[in-house]
Amino acid sequence: DGGITQSPKYLFRKEGQNVTLSCEQNLNHDAMYWYRQDPGQGLRLIYYSQIVNDFQKGDIAEGYSVSREKKESFPLTVTSAQKNPTAFYLCASSWGQGAREQYFGPGTRLTVT
Amino acid sequence: QQQVKQSPQSLIVQKGGISIINCAYENTAFDYFPWYQQFPGKGPALLIAIRPDVSEKKEGRFTISFNKSAKQFSLHIMDSQPGDSATYFCAASGDSNYKLTFGKGTLLTVNP
């Protein structure tokens, strides 16, 4: 089945630890995105990548880092510099090259205590 | 700065009724307007989308109405069903990076 996989579904970490969230897609999409969702806040863009080995900051990139070494993978690291890391994190992908439709993964709920 | 304003925050509709969710945008460069449906604990799913060259798009019970001059667009759900109970997000994009700007969402509850 084609789709976007995010793992794990739930993640718990202690404050001060870095944590990496996985996102894999087998849709052959060029572009990938990371969003953060907080209650009542909608979805906010953290980072996006339109092509392998290239990525851009979104609206709330501080405290996060990404890599795009392979077309199908776009991991997100939540660093200890992120002041409020507890949130629902969503990965999405699209064809790019003018295609606007973004398709989302199932999300990872990160809780930092 | 919120570029896409969505209302209402929550909506309760009886089964069989019409659900209407509204969005307004500021950036005149936006030229793609999708709606997403999200169930609790799941990722959003693309429901329907419109571009400004048409004023309305219908897919089954879901219709987008678009008013370019007013910079507004809305989602109408006809014959609303309890299974439609979810959070709905409008979004917009228009720059060359195809970033989506989302509204804050509307929690729809359809009572049986």
Side-chain angles (χ1 to χ4, degrees):
Chain A
D1 289 335
I4 302 173
T5 303
Q6 289 187 245
S7 61
K9 188 170 179 63
Y10 299 96
L11 194 52
F12 299 88
R13 281 294 183 271
K14 294 290 187 185
E15 195 173 316
Q17 294 179 334
N18 290 357
V19 58
T20 297
L21 281 59
S22 168
C23 178
E24 304 277 333
Q25 55 97 0
N26 61 5
L27 300 168
N28 201 31
H29 284 174
D30 288 316
M32 297 186 75
Y33 312 80
W34 273 106
Y35 292 89
R36 170 184 172 136
Q37 185 174 23
D38 298 282
Q41 292 297 317
L43 282 73
R44 293 182 289 169
L45 183 65
I46 304 172
Y47 268 98
Y48 63 103
S49 168
Q50 293 180 284
I51 195 169
V52 175
N53 292 323
D54 187 43
F55 48 83
Q56 288 78 40
K57 293 181 179 180
D59 300 318
I60 55 165
E62 185 176 350
Y64 300 98
S65 65
V66 294
S67 63
R68 186 85 188 277
E69 297 177 0
K70 298 187 295 182
K71 185 176 184 178
E72 58 270 22
S73 179
F74 192 40
L76 172 74
T77 296
V78 184
T79 75
S80 56
Q82 168 50 231
K83 291 187 173 73
N84 296 297
T86 294
F88 190 46
Y89 290 88
L90 289 156
C91 178
S93 69
S94 69
W95 284 108
Q97 299 296 320
R100 303 294 184 89
E101 294 82 7
Q102 291 187 20
Y103 299 92
F104 284 82
T108 291
R109 186 166 298 280
L110 173 66
T111 302
V112 177
T113 58
Chain B
Q1 179 186 3
Q2 184 185 1
Q3 296 189 49
V4 178
K5 293 185 179 180
Q6 184 172 345
S7 63
Q9 283 187 315
S10 62
L11 180 62
I12 300 175
V13 173
Q14 291 302 117
K15 179 182 176 181
I18 302 174
S19 304
I20 302 174
I21 304 170
N22 301 300
C23 284
Y25 62 98
E26 299 164 1
N27 188 343
T28 55
F30 286 154
D31 63 357
Y32 171 71
F33 304 90
W35 285 89
Y36 284 83
Q37 178 189 58
Q38 185 180 31
F39 294 104
K42 306 293 185 184
L46 179 62
L47 196 59
I48 186 173
I50 197 169
R51 293 184 186 260
D53 52 343
V54 296
S55 60
E56 186 174 283
K57 183 174 181 180
K58 183 176 180 179
E59 289 186 4
R61 295 185 293 111
F62 300 91
T63 299
I64 299 179
S65 297
F66 184 80
N67 186 329
K68 188 174 182 178
S69 61
K71 292 186 287 184
Q72 295 175 348
F73 58 109
S74 60
L75 176 69
H76 296 234
I77 306 174
M78 311 300 288
D79 187 25
S80 298
Q81 300 296 312
D84 297 331
S85 297
T87 299
Y88 292 82
F89 293 96
C90 63
S93 77
D95 61 36
S96 60
N97 293 318
Y98 314 121
K99 295 186 297 179
L100 282 176
T101 299
F102 283 84
K104 292 191 174 184
T106 296
L107 178 62
L108 171 66
T109 302
V110 181
N111 288 329

